[in-house]
């Protein structure tokens, strides 16, 4: 009998398994993904077809873009610059392999039993594992479901040779001349950036009228302006009505302001969101409660409708983010081990890995306005940051929102160089209940782009040094 069986080995599941084992629980992790040689592939979407391969291509394509567009301004002249897509893809695959085999090593080092196959809950204490027609049963005291999510396929644009999801878009063999993307969300913008930097003409079709509505309005306006400048042709308020892959290219129609438009692309990426993998997670005789979006219904501690069954990561409420899933995995393992762990869902950072990056934590200005919270704003542009200027990377700004009454930081929004790392400093500060004044009183290294956060926090109290703050 196991103490814990985890179903799914992505960032939520494998982290939960390692933590549970570290806490002295006899733990197994069931995963069906395997490579051509039959070796198990842990890491889920994040490591295999998500965060890691996309960041690998984002970094490679950014280097190429910089070499092409920015090196000359630094006095570096390059001749005969070219891009080798097969080499770029091989490097990406090597990074992925290194990390996925790393998890197998971590399981061994931490005493987690790796079990190959598809797991399914039969009852509170039984998980059935199917592997190439063989079925085995695992008896266990606790079960953690972590089966992740998959891209949504829309009926009018079914996957084909040239209509692909995010996984397909990470494996193009050459740069498409004309690339269409449905959805200006996180995936659409990240993959659009990769292929645009490598030379594709990128058109993005987005149904909503607003650009990046989850992002603070002022920041999303800055992003929209910059991405258009970088060459992304973004059509807002445009709904896909048909897509036909005729083998050579993809013909699409979309409706915008009541008018029908047509376009044709070599490849079309459909990135309209992801759906939780909850079909067939349990036997029909043992229903696990789902919500209206097909996600497993859980409480604040990720417990399902059964006392000893938990669910974490993309299959439960909240943002579909690897780090959110991993922290849920840690919380659940600790609670199973009898600890009182809880997770602070208010402070989950978000990042979009375009260049510059977009990152934020806490409330947006519009959320504060909607909730009638009185707040102060401190903004600081990277155009006034010495380090950003030295690096020729000075687009964007930092925006700090603080409570008008007690100065507590309520939200930090960054569009600019190293935005993800700057926001992480804000997450730490906010975890400790920091005020804008606390950040203002903290010594920041000079010259760093982080100083823009320092200045934005000072600006929230009208005391920034490197922008005008005339006494009233
Ligand atoms: P998303 O929800 O971020 O964006 C999808 C977009 O498609 C929306 O703006 C939506 O309005 C639009 N759309 C939907 N149907 C449409 C249609 N028929 N025509 C035109 N537009 C349409 O979803 P996305 O980008 O697929 O990402 C999925 C999930 O993966 C997200 O929850 C995201 O958080 C996560 N993710 C996170 C990353 C990160 O943290 N950097 C990277 C990649 C994914």
């Amino acid at each position: 009998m196991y103490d814990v069986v985890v179903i799914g080995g992505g960032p939520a599941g494998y982290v939960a398994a390692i933590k549970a084992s570290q806490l002295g629980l006899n733990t197994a992790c069931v995963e069906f993904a395997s490579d051509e040689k039959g070796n198990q592939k842990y890491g889920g979407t994040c490591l295999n077809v998500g965060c890691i391969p996309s960041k690998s291509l984002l970094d490679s394509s950014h280097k190429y873009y910089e070499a092409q567009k920015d090196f000359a301004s630094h006095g570096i002249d390059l001749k005969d610059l070219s891009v080798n897509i097969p080499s770029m893809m091989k490097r990406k695959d090597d990074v992925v392999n290194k990390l996925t085999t790393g998890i197998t090593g971590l399981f061994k080092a931490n005493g987690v039993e790796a079990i190959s196959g598809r797991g399914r809950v039969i009852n509170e204490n039984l998980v059935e594992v199917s592997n190439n027609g063989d079925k085995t049963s695992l008896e266990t005291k606790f079960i953690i479901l972590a089966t992740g999510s998959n891209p949504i396929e829309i009926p009018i644009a079914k996957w084909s040779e040239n209509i692909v999801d995010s996984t397909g878009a990470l494996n193009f063999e050459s740069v498409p001349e004309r690339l269409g993307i449905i959805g200006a969300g996180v995936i659409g913008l990240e993959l659009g950036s990769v292929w645009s930097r490598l030379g594709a003409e990128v058109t993005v079709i987005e149904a909503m009228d607003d650009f990046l509505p989850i992002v603070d309005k002022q920041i999303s306006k800055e992003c929209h302006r910059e991405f258009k400048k970088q060459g992304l042709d973004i059509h807002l308020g445009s709904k896909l009505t048909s897509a036909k892959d005729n083998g050579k290219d993809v013909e699409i129609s979309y409706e915008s302001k009541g008018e029908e438009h047509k376009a044709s692309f070599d490849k079309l990426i459909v990135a309209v969101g992801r759906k939780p993998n909850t079909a067939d997670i349990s036997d029909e005789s043992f229903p696990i409660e789902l919500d209206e979006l097909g996600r497993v219904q859980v409480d604040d501690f990720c417990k399902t409708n059964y006392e000893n069954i938990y669910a974490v990561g993309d299959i439960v409420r909240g943002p579909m983010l690897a780090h959110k899933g991993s922290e849920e995995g840690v919380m659940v393992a600790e609670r199973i081990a009898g600890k009182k762990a809880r997770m602070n869902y208010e402070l989950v950072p978000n990042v979009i890995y375009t260049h510059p990056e977009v990152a934020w934590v806490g409330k947006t200005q519009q959320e504060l306005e909607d909730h009638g919270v009185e707040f102060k704003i401190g903004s600081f542009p990277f155009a006034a940051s010495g380090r950003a200027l030295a690096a020729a990377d000075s687009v964007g700004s930092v925006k700090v929102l603080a409570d008008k009454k007690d100065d507590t930081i309520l939200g930090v929004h960054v569009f600019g160089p190293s935005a993800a790392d700057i926001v992480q400093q804000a997450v730490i500060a906010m975890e400790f209940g920091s005020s804008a004044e606390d950040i203002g009183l903290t010594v920041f290294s000079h010259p760093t782009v982080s100083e823009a956060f320092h200045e934005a926090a000072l600006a929230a109290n009208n005391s920034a040094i490197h922008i005008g703050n005339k006494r009233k």
Side-chain angles (χ1 to χ4, degrees):
M1 168 90 105
Y2 292 98
D3 291 318
V4 182
V5 170
V6 182
I7 303 181
Y14 88 74
V15 170
I18 289 175
K19 192 71 196 172
S21 194
Q22 286 174 345
L23 291 167
L25 301 164
N26 179 17
T27 307
C29 183
V30 186
E31 170 61 59
F32 65 74
S34 61
D35 64 17
E36 324 71 63
K37 292 182 200 137
N39 298 318
Q40 264 181 307
K41 275 174 84 172
Y42 282 98
T45 299
C46 168
L47 261 65
N48 291 287
V49 290
C51 318
I52 299 301
S54 64
K55 261 80 270 178
S56 168
L57 292 183
L58 277 157
D59 286 339
S60 298
S61 60
H62 182 60
K63 284 183 195 295
Y64 175 65
Y65 184 87
E66 273 192 307
Q68 214 180 23
K69 309 266 180 195
D70 295 340
F71 276 18
S73 73
H74 290 269
I76 304 168
D77 291 322
L78 270 181
K79 287 197 182 69
D80 302 329
L81 185 69
S82 68
V83 65
N84 181 330
I85 298 293
S87 301
M88 196 180 278
M89 292 294 170
K90 185 179 174 306
R91 192 194 82 92
K92 170 206 71 174
D93 294 340
D94 289 347
V95 174
V96 168
N97 287 337
K98 196 171 191 173
L99 289 167
T100 50
T101 45
I103 295 176
T104 311
L106 281 173
F107 274 5
K108 280 199 189 111
N110 286 287
V112 176
E113 189 178 336
I115 296 180
S116 214
R118 188 177 286 271
R120 190 162 155 269
V121 182
I122 301 299
N123 64 40
E124 268 121 319
N125 299 108
L126 204 63
V127 170
E128 176 192 82
V129 179
S130 319
N131 193 6
N132 294 325
D134 293 340
K135 284 195 170 141
T136 46
S137 295
L138 311 176
E139 275 187 86
T140 180
K141 291 183 191 149
F142 289 90
I143 297 170
I144 303 177
L145 299 165
T147 49
S149 62
N150 257 313
I152 293 175
E153 184 177 35
I154 47 178
I156 50 167
K158 291 223 174 256
W159 312 131
S160 66
E161 171 75 18
N162 295 312
I163 302 179
V164 300
D165 61 7
S166 50
T167 306
L170 292 169
N171 291 306
F172 290 156
E173 286 166 4
S174 58
V175 181
E177 244 173 70
R178 299 158 309 158
L179 175 65
I181 299 180
I182 308 302
V186 184
I187 294 182
L189 292 172
E190 290 187 2
L191 290 173
S193 299
V194 166
W195 292 107
S196 154
R197 289 171 197 162
L198 296 174
E201 189 184 288
V202 177
T203 307
V204 187
I205 307 292
E206 166 57 52
M208 310 256 261
D209 292 327
D210 292 330
F211 182 67
L212 283 178
I214 49 168
V215 173
D216 185 271
K217 254 198 193 115
Q218 178 196 327
I219 298 282
S220 69
K221 259 193 206 147
E222 287 181 37
C223 302
H224 193 193
R225 204 180 315 124
E226 175 61 21
F227 297 153
K228 279 207 293 203
K229 217 165 109 193
Q230 290 178 7
L232 297 185
D233 183 15
I234 302 167
H235 297 250
L236 298 176
S238 300
K239 197 151 190 294
L240 185 75
T241 48
S242 76
K244 191 166 175 290
D245 181 356
N246 59 31
K248 222 169 113 282
D249 50 17
V250 183
E251 311 276 344
I252 72 155
S253 310
Y254 62 94
E255 194 228 287
S256 174
K257 296 195 184 105
E259 278 179 31
E260 180 91 353
H261 300 264
K262 290 194 183 308
S264 128
F265 305 108
D266 301 305
K267 297 276 183 196
L268 182 72
I269 303 173
V270 179
V272 295
R274 298 178 63 88
K275 61 173 190 315
N277 294 329
T278 49
D280 205 28
I281 47 166
S282 70
D283 196 76
E284 300 105 59
S285 63
F286 188 74
I288 290 174
E289 235 173 78
L290 304 182
D291 66 14
E292 66 290 353
L293 297 175
R295 301 172 299 194
V296 177
Q297 184 90 50
V298 288
D299 66 10
D300 289 349
F301 305 109
C302 292
K303 193 186 279 183
T304 67
N305 51 318
Y306 299 99
E307 268 304 300
N308 66 329
I309 303 183
Y310 291 83
V312 291
D314 286 6
I315 55 166
V316 301
R317 81 280 176 272
M320 288 184 172
L321 297 171
H323 47 275
K324 172 258 190 189
S326 297
E327 288 309 317
E328 286 178 334
V330 170
M331 169 179 75
V332 165
E334 292 196 332
R335 293 189 79 85
I336 290 174
K339 294 176 184 275
K340 298 264 176 277
R342 59 166 56 238
M343 183 171 156
N344 186 356
Y345 284 98
E346 295 296 315
L347 293 183
V348 177
N350 274 273
V351 185
I352 307 176
Y353 292 89
T354 43
H355 192 92
E357 293 170 349
V358 191
W360 68 97
V361 63
K363 303 283 184 228
T364 61
Q365 182 173 340
Q366 55 269 27
E367 280 172 328
L368 295 177
E369 284 166 356
D370 290 348
H371 289 99
V373 179
E374 289 197 296
F375 59 90
K376 306 178 276 189
I377 303 177
S379 283
F380 191 80
F382 284 102
S385 151
R387 186 59 199 268
L389 284 168
D393 207 357
S394 58
V395 168
S397 62
V398 177
K399 175 173 177 180
V400 170
L401 296 164
D403 194 301
K404 199 164 191 172
K405 286 188 217 90
D406 65 10
D407 199 38
T408 304
I409 299 179
L410 302 173
V412 175
H413 305 268
V414 184
F415 177 51
S418 302
D421 297 301
I422 295 173
V423 160
Q424 195 57 49
Q425 301 169 33
V427 180
I428 297 168
M430 289 167 78
E431 268 294 346
F432 289 98
S434 172
S435 64
E437 187 185 24
D438 289 331
I439 299 300
L441 291 169
T442 305
V443 181
F444 279 66
S445 314
H446 176 75
T448 57
V449 286
S450 296
E451 287 169 297
F453 174 39
H454 187 215
E455 290 276 3
L458 286 167
N461 288 315
N462 294 319
S463 48
I465 300 295
H466 294 90
I467 47 176
N469 285 298
K470 259 198 187 150
R471 263 177 208 286
K472 290 189 186 106

PDB file of all heavy atoms in Angstrom, residues 333-347:
ATOM      1  N   ALA A 333       1.074  18.038  -0.600  1.00  0.00           N
ATOM      2  CA  ALA A 333       1.950  17.019   0.010  1.00  0.00           C
ATOM      3  C   ALA A 333       2.107  17.324   1.506  1.00  0.00           C
ATOM      4  O   ALA A 333       2.040  16.422   2.349  1.00  0.00           O
ATOM      5  CB  ALA A 333       3.306  17.022  -0.691  1.00  0.00           C
ATOM      6  N   GLU A 334       2.290  18.607   1.831  1.00  0.00           N
ATOM      7  CA  GLU A 334       2.477  18.975   3.245  1.00  0.00           C
ATOM      8  C   GLU A 334       1.216  18.722   4.060  1.00  0.00           C
ATOM      9  O   GLU A 334       1.284  18.253   5.188  1.00  0.00           O
ATOM     10  CB  GLU A 334       2.926  20.434   3.352  1.00  0.00           C
ATOM     11  CG  GLU A 334       4.330  20.597   2.777  1.00  0.00           C
ATOM     12  CD  GLU A 334       5.009  21.885   3.164  1.00  0.00           C
ATOM     13  OE1 GLU A 334       4.300  22.873   3.407  1.00  0.00           O
ATOM     14  OE2 GLU A 334       6.251  21.886   3.205  1.00  0.00           O
ATOM     15  N   ARG A 335       0.056  19.010   3.474  1.00  0.00           N
ATOM     16  CA  ARG A 335      -1.192  18.785   4.217  1.00  0.00           C
ATOM     17  C   ARG A 335      -1.418  17.289   4.439  1.00  0.00           C
ATOM     18  O   ARG A 335      -1.868  16.876   5.505  1.00  0.00           O
ATOM     19  CB  ARG A 335      -2.382  19.433   3.487  1.00  0.00           C
ATOM     20  CG  ARG A 335      -2.293  20.949   3.482  1.00  0.00           C
ATOM     21  CD  ARG A 335      -3.551  21.599   2.977  1.00  0.00           C
ATOM     22  NE  ARG A 335      -4.599  21.630   3.992  1.00  0.00           N
ATOM     23  CZ  ARG A 335      -4.721  22.564   4.930  1.00  0.00           C
ATOM     24  NH1 ARG A 335      -3.841  23.551   5.005  1.00  0.00           N
ATOM     25  NH2 ARG A 335      -5.710  22.513   5.797  1.00  0.00           N
ATOM     26  N   ILE A 336      -1.074  16.477   3.437  1.00  0.00           N
ATOM     27  CA  ILE A 336      -1.212  15.020   3.603  1.00  0.00           C
ATOM     28  C   ILE A 336      -0.297  14.549   4.733  1.00  0.00           C
ATOM     29  O   ILE A 336      -0.640  13.671   5.520  1.00  0.00           O
ATOM     30  CB  ILE A 336      -0.895  14.286   2.268  1.00  0.00           C
ATOM     31  CG1 ILE A 336      -2.008  14.567   1.242  1.00  0.00           C
ATOM     32  CG2 ILE A 336      -0.727  12.781   2.485  1.00  0.00           C
ATOM     33  CD1 ILE A 336      -1.745  14.017  -0.149  1.00  0.00           C
ATOM     34  N   ALA A 337       0.878  15.193   4.826  1.00  0.00           N
ATOM     35  CA  ALA A 337       1.834  14.812   5.879  1.00  0.00           C
ATOM     36  C   ALA A 337       1.455  15.425   7.231  1.00  0.00           C
ATOM     37  O   ALA A 337       2.214  15.340   8.198  1.00  0.00           O
ATOM     38  CB  ALA A 337       3.234  15.259   5.474  1.00  0.00           C
ATOM     39  N   GLY A 338       0.300  16.090   7.302  1.00  0.00           N
ATOM     40  CA  GLY A 338      -0.197  16.588   8.592  1.00  0.00           C
ATOM     41  C   GLY A 338       0.198  18.010   8.914  1.00  0.00           C
ATOM     42  O   GLY A 338      -0.043  18.497  10.011  1.00  0.00           O
ATOM     43  N   LYS A 339       0.825  18.708   7.946  1.00  0.00           N
ATOM     44  CA  LYS A 339       1.198  20.113   8.209  1.00  0.00           C
ATOM     45  C   LYS A 339       0.033  21.035   7.859  1.00  0.00           C
ATOM     46  O   LYS A 339      -0.917  20.618   7.218  1.00  0.00           O
ATOM     47  CB  LYS A 339       2.435  20.472   7.384  1.00  0.00           C
ATOM     48  CG  LYS A 339       3.671  19.700   7.812  1.00  0.00           C
ATOM     49  CD  LYS A 339       4.828  20.025   6.901  1.00  0.00           C
ATOM     50  CE  LYS A 339       6.046  19.206   7.236  1.00  0.00           C
ATOM     51  NZ  LYS A 339       6.849  19.784   8.309  1.00  0.00           N
ATOM     52  N   LYS A 340       0.168  22.313   8.244  1.00  0.00           N
ATOM     53  CA  LYS A 340      -0.947  23.249   8.046  1.00  0.00           C
ATOM     54  C   LYS A 340      -0.685  24.185   6.863  1.00  0.00           C
ATOM     55  O   LYS A 340      -1.019  25.358   6.897  1.00  0.00           O
ATOM     56  CB  LYS A 340      -1.162  24.104   9.310  1.00  0.00           C
ATOM     57  CG  LYS A 340      -1.537  23.340  10.548  1.00  0.00           C
ATOM     58  CD  LYS A 340      -3.040  23.338  10.736  1.00  0.00           C
ATOM     59  CE  LYS A 340      -3.496  22.500  11.920  1.00  0.00           C
ATOM     60  NZ  LYS A 340      -3.602  21.072  11.578  1.00  0.00           N
ATOM     61  N   ALA A 341      -0.049  23.677   5.813  1.00  0.00           N
ATOM     62  CA  ALA A 341       0.335  24.561   4.702  1.00  0.00           C
ATOM     63  C   ALA A 341      -0.867  25.192   4.010  1.00  0.00           C
ATOM     64  O   ALA A 341      -1.941  24.611   3.952  1.00  0.00           O
ATOM     65  CB  ALA A 341       1.125  23.740   3.694  1.00  0.00           C
ATOM     66  N   ARG A 342      -0.661  26.406   3.482  1.00  0.00           N
ATOM     67  CA  ARG A 342      -1.664  27.048   2.636  1.00  0.00           C
ATOM     68  C   ARG A 342      -0.934  27.841   1.560  1.00  0.00           C
ATOM     69  O   ARG A 342       0.248  28.147   1.694  1.00  0.00           O
ATOM     70  CB  ARG A 342      -2.613  27.943   3.431  1.00  0.00           C
ATOM     71  CG  ARG A 342      -1.929  29.074   4.187  1.00  0.00           C
ATOM     72  CD  ARG A 342      -2.904  30.133   4.686  1.00  0.00           C
ATOM     73  NE  ARG A 342      -3.952  29.572   5.522  1.00  0.00           N
ATOM     74  CZ  ARG A 342      -5.259  29.711   5.227  1.00  0.00           C
ATOM     75  NH1 ARG A 342      -5.647  30.373   4.177  1.00  0.00           N
ATOM     76  NH2 ARG A 342      -6.173  29.199   6.030  1.00  0.00           N
ATOM     77  N   MET A 343      -1.660  28.166   0.504  1.00  0.00           N
ATOM     78  CA  MET A 343      -0.997  28.880  -0.581  1.00  0.00           C
ATOM     79  C   MET A 343      -1.602  30.274  -0.712  1.00  0.00           C
ATOM     80  O   MET A 343      -2.809  30.436  -0.569  1.00  0.00           O
ATOM     81  CB  MET A 343      -1.217  28.091  -1.868  1.00  0.00           C
ATOM     82  CG  MET A 343      -0.523  28.701  -3.029  1.00  0.00           C
ATOM     83  SD  MET A 343      -0.565  27.656  -4.466  1.00  0.00           S
ATOM     84  CE  MET A 343      -0.366  28.938  -5.691  1.00  0.00           C
ATOM     85  N   ASN A 344      -0.776  31.269  -1.008  1.00  0.00           N
ATOM     86  CA  ASN A 344      -1.273  32.628  -1.168  1.00  0.00           C
ATOM     87  C   ASN A 344      -1.620  32.875  -2.639  1.00  0.00           C
ATOM     88  O   ASN A 344      -0.770  33.269  -3.433  1.00  0.00           O
ATOM     89  CB  ASN A 344      -0.220  33.631  -0.680  1.00  0.00           C
ATOM     90  CG  ASN A 344      -0.761  35.046  -0.697  1.00  0.00           C
ATOM     91  OD1 ASN A 344      -1.882  35.278  -1.128  1.00  0.00           O
ATOM     92  ND2 ASN A 344       0.045  35.988  -0.229  1.00  0.00           N
ATOM     93  N   TYR A 345      -2.879  32.616  -2.976  1.00  0.00           N
ATOM     94  CA  TYR A 345      -3.310  32.775  -4.374  1.00  0.00           C
ATOM     95  C   TYR A 345      -3.330  34.238  -4.811  1.00  0.00           C
ATOM     96  O   TYR A 345      -3.395  34.530  -5.997  1.00  0.00           O
ATOM     97  CB  TYR A 345      -4.695  32.157  -4.568  1.00  0.00           C
ATOM     98  CG  TYR A 345      -4.670  30.641  -4.631  1.00  0.00           C
ATOM     99  CD1 TYR A 345      -4.960  29.866  -3.520  1.00  0.00           C
ATOM    100  CD2 TYR A 345      -4.333  29.981  -5.816  1.00  0.00           C
ATOM    101  CE1 TYR A 345      -4.926  28.481  -3.577  1.00  0.00           C
ATOM    102  CE2 TYR A 345      -4.299  28.597  -5.883  1.00  0.00           C
ATOM    103  CZ  TYR A 345      -4.599  27.861  -4.762  1.00  0.00           C
ATOM    104  OH  TYR A 345      -4.549  26.492  -4.834  1.00  0.00           O
ATOM    105  N   GLU A 346      -3.298  35.169  -3.845  1.00  0.00           N
ATOM    106  CA  GLU A 346      -3.324  36.599  -4.192  1.00  0.00           C
ATOM    107  C   GLU A 346      -2.016  37.037  -4.846  1.00  0.00           C
ATOM    108  O   GLU A 346      -1.964  38.054  -5.519  1.00  0.00           O
ATOM    109  CB  GLU A 346      -3.525  37.450  -2.922  1.00  0.00           C
ATOM    110  CG  GLU A 346      -4.858  37.268  -2.233  1.00  0.00           C
ATOM    111  CD  GLU A 346      -6.012  37.723  -3.108  1.00  0.00           C
ATOM    112  OE1 GLU A 346      -5.899  38.806  -3.696  1.00  0.00           O
ATOM    113  OE2 GLU A 346      -7.007  36.975  -3.201  1.00  0.00           O
ATOM    114  N   LEU A 347      -0.954  36.288  -4.584  1.00  0.00           N
ATOM    115  CA  LEU A 347       0.358  36.745  -5.055  1.00  0.00           C
ATOM    116  C   LEU A 347       1.024  35.739  -6.003  1.00  0.00           C
ATOM    117  O   LEU A 347       2.185  35.376  -5.828  1.00  0.00           O
ATOM    118  CB  LEU A 347       1.274  37.040  -3.865  1.00  0.00           C
ATOM    119  CG  LEU A 347       0.858  38.223  -2.985  1.00  0.00           C
ATOM    120  CD1 LEU A 347       1.874  38.462  -1.871  1.00  0.00           C
ATOM    121  CD2 LEU A 347       0.686  39.505  -3.798  1.00  0.00           C
TER     122      LEU A 347
END
